[in-house]
Amino acid sequence: MSASAETLTIPVNFYRPDYHVKTPEMRSPEYVQLSTAAAITLGLVPGSMHRTSCTHCLNLLVTYPEGCRANCSYCGLARHREESRDYADRNFIRVDWPTVGYDEVIERVKANADKGQFERMCISMITHPNSDHDTLLLLRKWMKAVPHIPVSILSNPTTMKYEDLVTLRDEGADIFTVALDAVTPEIFERTRGKTVDSPHRWDKYWQAIEWAAEIFGPEKFGAHLIAGMGETEQEMMAICQKMRDMGGHNHMFAFFPEQGSLMEDWPAVPKDQWRRVQLGRFIIDYAGGRIDDMRFNEQGQIIDFGMGEDELEALIASGKPFQTSGCPGKTDEEISACNRPYGDSSPTDIRSFPFALNAQDVGFVKRQMAGEDVGTVDHDQLD
């Protein structure tokens, strides 16, 4: 059985990815996609999440049947997939993104469907001719309806001008972020530049970061960074330090091979590498540390975090460095509202913890930092 926007007798207001039907025509600004975690939190789809009842950030994605016109090699939304899968059916950061009417989203939030758990909303842009214009419309509508929940913009620098950032700030956007992802010009070019027939350019992305630092100001901008795409830990820390020196924060993701992407056979970031850069990022962003005080071996791995042993041990024991990093929540700037449950790993081998770690979780993290190939679930207790 197939369905289309023309043949349905009532308007489509919600679409859950289904590879066996014809995808309805649904486009922004009337429609948005939202993460599976947000859909569960709002009661749009049934389900539960391991050890967390919700996501604290309503992650929205502008959407068009034509899809994103970029071709980033690690992304499930990339243009090269258009022959095999409709845009609204493509997975992104490991999960499906259902499509829903924007008015429906707003009404559910106003009706407290999230039970007050949303601390932030994020509009994620894609590379599309209408993305800039529609993002502004979505922002204006949100600020008029539910201004008590602050809005972050995950931008598309490729299509943006300086004046666009000024307008977004003036219309109420709280934080502006740039998905730099790759931390060296060479990796950027290989994964999302001309090499893969994609329009993004390293210099343009850094220009947007510099604009954001000027327009939004300290603590109100950030960059997304993906660990495990061929960079060294020292190169990752160098970008983290550069961002912090500019007044911004670093939102770090563990590389996980996205099904259907050009890098689907690329291995996930090694666990010990991931834990070290998570800890190093937190030290630079929130603990007053600097890369100048850290030491690295010949492979660029962190061998000294530049902190006293007791201070470092207390920081690790807190578990905070290993929680999901992103835009802050209402009560603790060190803890991200955008906890993205299981966006970069499975619940049995958690890379970014979407909840506070307990002592057992910290124990698994320590073992991973020591080089043990263990997950984050005690399988012996499960048997």
Side-chain angles (χ1 to χ4, degrees):
M1 181 178 178
S2 64
S4 69
E6 292 78 12
T7 58
L8 290 169
T9 57
I10 58 173
V12 177
N13 204 46
F14 180 74
Y15 173 74
R16 191 172 185 180
D18 185 340
Y19 314 139
H20 304 291
V21 302
K22 179 176 173 57
T23 306
E25 178 92 1
M26 307 173 85
R27 62 174 59 242
S28 296
E30 290 78 15
Y31 295 93
V32 291
Q33 289 180 267
L34 73 168
S35 67
T36 295
I40 291 173
T41 303
L42 279 178
L44 286 163
V45 299
S48 60
M49 291 171 280
H50 176 61
R51 290 179 62 184
T52 183
S53 61
C54 68
T55 175
H56 295 290
C57 182
L58 174 57
N59 294 103
L60 304 182
L61 187 67
V62 295
T63 187
Y64 309 95
E66 310 85 64
C68 183
R69 307 324 294 157
N71 203 38
C72 302
S73 60
Y74 49 87
C75 183
L77 302 180
R79 190 183 69 247
H80 77 272
R81 299 189 73 190
E82 59 191 2
E83 292 185 1
S84 61
R85 183 158 296 174
D86 288 338
Y87 185 75
D89 287 334
R90 297 177 203 170
N91 48 290
F92 178 52
I93 58 170
R94 294 191 70 250
V95 299
D96 289 335
W97 286 63
T99 308
V100 64
Y102 190 47
D103 288 343
E104 172 79 5
V105 172
I106 288 177
E107 289 307 312
R108 283 180 178 253
V109 173
K110 288 174 64 176
N112 201 38
D114 65 311
K115 299 179 176 62
Q117 295 176 109
F118 286 146
E119 299 180 11
R120 180 168 293 277
M121 188 271 270
C122 178
I123 305 172
S124 297
M125 303 171 68
I126 63 172
T127 306
H128 185 279
N130 296 344
S131 184
D132 296 349
H133 174 265
D134 292 340
T135 295
L136 181 57
L137 294 182
L138 294 172
L139 172 63
R140 284 173 173 163
K141 195 165 191 175
W142 185 269
M143 295 306 299
K144 184 177 180 179
V146 277
H148 64 282
I149 299 179
V151 178
S152 295
I153 303 294
L154 178 55
S155 64
N156 176 35
T158 296
T159 62
M160 301 188 80
K161 300 180 178 65
Y162 180 93
E163 293 75 17
D164 295 326
L165 277 70
V166 173
T167 301
L168 288 167
R169 180 203 62 192
D170 292 348
E171 293 289 346
D174 177 54
I175 290 178
F176 186 91
T177 62
V178 173
L180 182 66
D181 294 348
V183 301
T184 72
E186 296 77 18
I187 297 173
F188 190 99
E189 171 60 26
R190 168 173 60 80
T191 59
R192 55 193 329 213
K194 292 181 181 178
T195 302
V196 288
D197 192 26
S198 198
H200 303 318
R201 301 292 178 263
W202 173 265
D203 291 344
K204 178 65 174 174
Y205 269 61
W206 273 105
Q207 181 184 58
I209 293 172
E210 291 167 357
W211 288 345
E214 175 186 344
I215 296 167
F216 283 80
E219 318 301 324
K220 293 296 184 178
F221 71 98
H224 286 199
L225 310 173
I226 299 178
M229 296 205 298
E231 79 290 338
T232 67
E233 295 169 28
Q234 188 169 9
E235 288 169 334
M236 177 64 77
M237 292 300 99
I239 291 296
C240 288
Q241 188 65 65
K242 182 175 181 178
M243 281 295 302
R244 194 69 200 112
D245 288 345
M246 293 172 68
H249 286 289
N250 300 282
H251 306 166
M252 194 177 291
F253 296 68
F255 176 80
F256 189 95
E258 188 83 37
Q259 183 180 3
S261 72
L262 295 173
M263 292 179 68
E264 65 179 356
D265 295 324
W266 189 277
V269 59
K271 296 169 187 175
D272 58 337
Q273 174 184 339
W274 172 239
R275 296 306 180 196
R276 286 191 295 268
V277 295
Q278 273 188 303
L279 181 56
R281 177 210 68 89
F282 191 90
I283 289 171
I284 289 172
D285 271 9
Y286 297 112
R290 294 191 58 82
I291 189 174
D292 307 350
D293 300 322
M294 299 179 182
R295 291 194 301 119
F296 304 86
N297 63 18
E298 293 181 354
Q299 290 75 46
Q301 296 173 317
I302 306 171
I303 57 174
D304 188 333
F305 288 94
M307 297 181 71
E309 186 174 341
D310 291 345
E311 187 180 6
L312 184 65
E313 182 61 30
L315 187 58
I316 294 172
S318 76
K320 282 187 175 183
F322 312 107
Q323 290 186 240
T324 308
S325 55
C327 293
K330 294 180 179 178
T331 58
D332 190 341
E333 68 170 9
E334 297 178 357
I335 301 299
S336 172
C338 184
N339 53 344
R340 302 186 299 276
Y342 313 110
D344 60 5
S345 60
S346 72
T348 59
D349 190 10
I350 303 169
R351 300 302 175 97
S352 299
F353 283 84
F355 48 79
L357 284 71
N358 60 29
Q360 185 179 53
D361 297 324
V362 172
F364 283 125
V365 166
K366 287 181 176 180
R367 291 171 63 186
Q368 290 175 343
M369 291 184 70
E372 289 189 50
D373 186 17
V374 294
T376 53
V377 168
D378 190 339
H379 293 281
D380 292 337
Q381 288 189 6
L382 296 178
D383 292 340

